[in-house]
Amino acid sequence: IEFVGFRKITCPHTPVILHSGDINDGTDYAGEFDAAACIHKPYEVTMLLSVLRTVTQPVSTEQAAVSLV
């Protein structure tokens, strides 16, 4: 958790994916640290890969312009 706080200061645009065995802790921390996703254990590898693909996709300039409106 300390690393996530440090990352927010030093690399604020780096997405964070939390994984937790406790559904409540993971959800609480996801909101607190602006996590891109929270995965609960146990999880399927294919689901993890899907989340990784989603959060690492570059945002197109069109999407960025729309999200600023």
Side-chain angles (χ1 to χ4, degrees):
I1 297 302
E2 290 176 20
F3 175 76
V4 176
F6 179 74
R7 184 264 339 152
K8 194 172 185 178
I9 294 167
T10 59
C11 305
H13 302 293
T14 302
V16 171
I17 300 170
L18 298 177
H19 65 97
S20 174
D22 184 339
I23 195 165
N24 294 325
D25 282 346
T27 304
D28 292 344
Y29 286 129
E32 182 179 343
F33 293 108
D34 196 26
C38 182
I39 301 172
H40 303 287
K41 296 186 247 179
Y43 53 85
E44 297 290 325
V45 173
T46 54
M47 194 268 299
L48 174 61
L49 292 173
S50 175
V51 171
L52 287 170
R53 273 189 224 99
T54 301
V55 302
T56 58
Q57 291 296 315
V59 176
S60 73
T61 53
E62 286 182 16
Q63 289 174 331
V66 171
S67 65
L68 293 174
V69 175

